[in-house]
Structure formats: structure tokens, C-alpha cells
């Protein structure tokens, strides 16, 4: 069973922030911390609010598209448009490989149609409320074609698209937020994202000035987060030593920005059992 199906079936266990726990507030609250000091939020008791069509769609889509076109010019591409949308309308845009880079660029629009819900102690941080997600896939990945339904793809090819869509809707569905260093396991047992793939969850990174944010005309700048599929040990290493520690491991091993489903586990030696 794929990442999206497992998360919807089991409900996500955690999505932690690097800040102090919230007090009484409509946003996320927790009194639970990882060994590295990151608050841990659990969502297993989430109650479905029923279908809610988006109030607005494509609020920043034009500006986000222009930004990615500038960063990755002369590529061409297509969009997997969402047919039925709950809360926000999430589209996944695909830019094709070109002579300057043999990789696909996938990014979302629609996540930033609504502000995310921050913990009370940082509720005023307007610079953290709006975000979108992106990934890089190898040039030989089967991403489908324009006018094709993504459901026509086998799941071993489709899961990055499904993953981006799920994560982009997640903060609005669960009234929480996603940001730099946040992690999410694929269920409590870190089930494989896809059959034959060892990753058991994801971690969100931020590339700063290289590919960090879209400056919007109304000043609600949209932060861009790189979705990195990760192994259980890598996620738990982050929980123990923080995102700085995990990024050091990634840097030491020259982790590629383009997804490699066969890459080694850079924290395979981490065997501590976290409570």
C-alpha cells in the first residue's frame, strides 16, 4: 500500500516543529518532545470536518509558476490538475528535463491559497504561514504525459505526485503547519512509501537563497520546501540530533538533490531506540 493510502488509513503519527509547544490556541498543541528538543504533534484523533470546497483557488499560482520558469528556463511541462478539491485546490506542476539538467522538477500550487495554522507562540510569524513543496525526479522517471490522468500511472511511478498532494493539503486538513526540518513517518512503523522502496517517511528541507521563496505582490511570501523521502533511521536521527545534525550527514555523503530510490541510508548506523 502506498504512502497516501497508508496515511489516510492510519492517520499521520507526527509532524514536529522546532519551536516550543503551543498553549491554548486553535493551532497545534503538544507537551511531547523528541530527544533533540523538537515538539511532536500527533494527529490520530483528528475528526473529519466533511467536504469543504475551496473558497479561492490559484491565489499565488501565477507568481509561483513564473518563479519556477525563471529558475528552470526552457523546459516546458504540464500540470496534473486536481479534479475534486477539499479545502484547497492542489495542482502538481511538472517541468521536463532539458540540456542543462536531466531531471524533472515537480512543484505544487494551492497549498499557499490559505495560511497555515502556526502554534500560538509564533502565530504572528507571517513569514512562515505560506508554503509550497517541490521535488526533483530523475530524467528517466515515468511522470506521464499532458492530458493523461495520473491514475493511469503505476503506483511505483505515481507516488511522488500523490505524496506532494497529500503533504500540501495536510496542514489545512489538520489545522497545523509544515516547515523546515519537519518530518513525517509513513505510519507508526515507518512502512515503505512504495513497494521496493526503503524510505519510510519524509523530511522537509529549505534551500534558502537558491530556491527558497516566492516574493508575492501582496507581501505574503511563499516559502518553498524540498520534500526528501527518508529512511526511518534518518528521521529518528533528526529527532535525536535536530535538522542541523541530519543535514551534516546528508552533506558528508553528498546526498543528491534528485531523488535516488536506491541511495544508501546515511544513518544506517543509528540504532538508538527513541521513546
Amino acid at each position: 500500500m502506498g504512502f497516501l493510502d497508508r496515511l489516510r488509513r492510519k492517520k499521520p503519527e507526527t509532524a514536529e516543529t522546532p519551536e516550543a509547544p503551543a498553549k491554548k490556541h486553535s493551532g497545534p498543541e503538544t507537551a511531547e518532545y523528541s530527544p533533540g528538543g523538537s515538539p511532536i504533534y500527533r494527529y490520530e484523533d483528528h475528526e473529519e470536518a466533511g467536504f469543504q470546497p475551496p473558497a479561492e483557488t490559484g491565489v499565488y499560482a501565477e507568481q509561483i509558476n513564473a518563479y519556477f520558469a525563471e529558475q528552470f528556463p526552457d523546459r516546458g511541462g504540464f500540470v496534473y490538475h486536481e479534479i475534486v478539491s477539499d479545502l484547497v485546490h492542489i495542482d502538481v506542476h511538472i517541468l521536463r528535463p532539458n540540456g542543462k539538467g536531466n531531471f524533472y522538477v515537480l512543484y505544487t500550487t494551492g497549498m499557499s491559497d490559505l495560511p497555515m495554522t502556526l502554534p500560538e507562540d509564533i502565530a504572528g510569524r507571517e513569514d512562515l504561514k505560506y508554503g509550497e513543496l517541490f521535488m526533483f525526479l530523475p530524467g528517466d522517471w515515468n511522470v506521464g504525459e499532458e492530458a493523461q490522468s495520473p491514475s493511469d500511472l503505476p503506483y511505483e511511478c505515481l507516488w511522488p505526485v500523490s505524496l506532494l498532494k497529500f503533504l500540501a493539503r495536510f496542514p489545512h486538513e489538520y489545522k497545523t503547519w509544515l516547515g523546515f526540518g519537519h518530518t513525517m513517518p509513513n505510519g507508526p512503523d515507518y512502512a515503505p512509501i512504495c513497494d521496493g522502496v526503503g524510505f519510510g517517511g519524509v523530511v522537509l528541507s529549505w534551500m534558502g537563497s537558491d530556491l527558497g521563496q516566492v516574493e508575492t505582490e501582496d507581501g505574503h511570501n511563499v516559502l518553498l520546501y524540498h520534500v526528501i523521502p527518508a529512511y526511518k533511521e534518518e528521521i529518528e536521527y533528526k529527532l535525536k540530533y535536530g535538522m542541523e545534525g541530519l543535514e551534516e550527514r546528508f552533506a558528508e555523503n553528498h546526498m543528491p538533490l534528485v531523488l535516488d530510490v536506491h541511495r544508501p541510508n546515511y544513518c544506517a548506523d543509528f540504532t538508538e531506540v527513541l521513546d
Side-chain angles (χ1 to χ4, degrees), residues 158-174:
L158 176 64
W159 67 262
V161 174
S162 297
L163 174 59
L164 288 173
K165 287 172 65 70
F166 174 85
L167 291 173
R169 182 169 282 105
F170 176 83
H172 304 300
E173 182 176 355
Y174 289 85

Side-chain angles (χ1 to χ4, degrees), residues 243-262:
M243 191 60 185
E244 181 178 351
L246 180 59
E247 287 195 322
E248 287 180 2
R249 284 289 183 107
F250 286 167
E252 290 169 359
N253 290 277
H254 307 287
M255 187 189 76
L257 295 178
V258 178
L259 176 67
D260 179 1
V261 296
H262 303 297

Side-chain angles (χ1 to χ4, degrees), residues 3 15 31 43 51-53 58-59 64 72 87-88 115 126 129 144 148 152 161 192 199 210 255 265 273-274:
F3 191 95
Y43 299 95
F51 179 76
Q52 301 177 56
V59 175
I64 294 167
F72 302 96
L87 297 175
V88 285
E126 293 294 326
K129 289 184 178 181
Q148 179 181 6
D152 294 337
V161 174
F199 305 125
D210 292 329
M255 187 189 76
N265 182 342
V273 178
L274 303 184

Side-chain angles (χ1 to χ4, degrees), residues 9-274:
R9 176 169 168 258
K10 297 182 178 179
K11 297 302 177 189
E13 279 284 312
T14 62
E16 85 287 354
T17 77
E19 304 292 339
K23 301 173 184 177
K24 285 199 170 183
H25 176 58
S26 59
E29 300 181 20
T30 185
E32 184 177 356
Y33 291 85
S34 73
S38 297
I40 297 176
Y41 297 100
R42 300 188 180 274
Y43 299 95
E44 60 267 76
D45 296 328
H46 169 72
E47 294 183 4
E48 298 289 345
F51 179 76
Q52 301 177 56
E56 293 185 271
T57 62
V59 175
Y60 299 114
E62 183 175 346
Q63 296 168 72
I64 294 167
N65 289 334
Y67 178 86
F68 274 92
E70 180 180 2
Q71 298 298 314
F72 302 96
D74 305 320
R75 282 179 171 261
F78 63 98
V79 184
Y80 278 131
H81 292 283
E82 192 167 64
I83 305 303
V84 179
S85 300
D86 186 16
L87 297 175
V88 285
H89 177 89
I90 306 298
D91 288 334
V92 176
H93 303 251
I94 299 176
L95 300 179
R96 295 188 177 94
N98 67 4
K100 295 182 180 179
N102 186 28
F103 58 89
Y104 289 96
V105 182
L106 276 64
Y107 66 92
T108 63
T109 57
M111 179 179 173
S112 59
D113 284 351
L114 295 175
M116 292 183 282
T117 306
L118 306 183
E120 184 176 32
D121 57 329
I122 59 170
R125 290 286 303 272
E126 293 294 326
D127 57 320
L128 298 177
K129 289 184 178 181
Y130 298 87
E132 296 288 354
L133 310 170
F134 67 91
M135 291 180 68
F136 303 115
L137 298 183
D140 60 356
W141 195 280
N142 179 11
V143 299
E145 295 293 341
E146 190 170 3
Q148 179 181 6
S149 169
S151 61
D152 294 337
L153 292 174
Y155 194 76
E156 60 266 24
C157 300
L158 176 64
W159 67 262
V161 174
S162 297
L163 174 59
L164 288 173
K165 287 172 65 70
F166 174 85
L167 291 173
R169 182 169 282 105
F170 176 83
H172 304 300
E173 182 176 355
Y174 289 85
K175 293 182 173 56
T176 186
W177 70 300
L178 294 178
F180 170 67
H182 290 191
T183 61
M184 187 180 294
N186 188 17
D189 299 322
Y190 294 86
I193 287 177
C194 180
D195 291 343
V197 175
F199 305 125
V202 298
V203 59
L204 299 188
S205 185
W206 188 64
M207 298 176 66
S209 59
D210 292 329
L211 195 65
Q213 69 176 15
V214 177
E215 297 182 359
T216 63
E217 295 174 357
D218 63 4
H220 288 156
N221 294 341
V222 177
L223 293 169
L224 304 174
Y225 297 109
H226 183 200
V227 177
I228 303 174
Y231 294 95
K232 172 185 176 181
E233 292 79 10
E234 292 172 342
I235 293 174
E236 295 196 339
Y237 188 90
K238 185 270 168 182
L239 294 176
K240 177 72 175 184
Y241 297 107
M243 191 60 185
E244 181 178 351
L246 180 59
E247 287 195 322
E248 287 180 2
R249 284 289 183 107
F250 286 167
E252 290 169 359
N253 290 277
H254 307 287
M255 187 189 76
L257 295 178
V258 178
L259 176 67
D260 179 1
V261 296
H262 303 297
R263 75 167 176 86
N265 182 342
Y266 300 136
C267 296
D269 59 341
F270 182 73
T271 57
E272 295 183 43
V273 178
L274 303 184

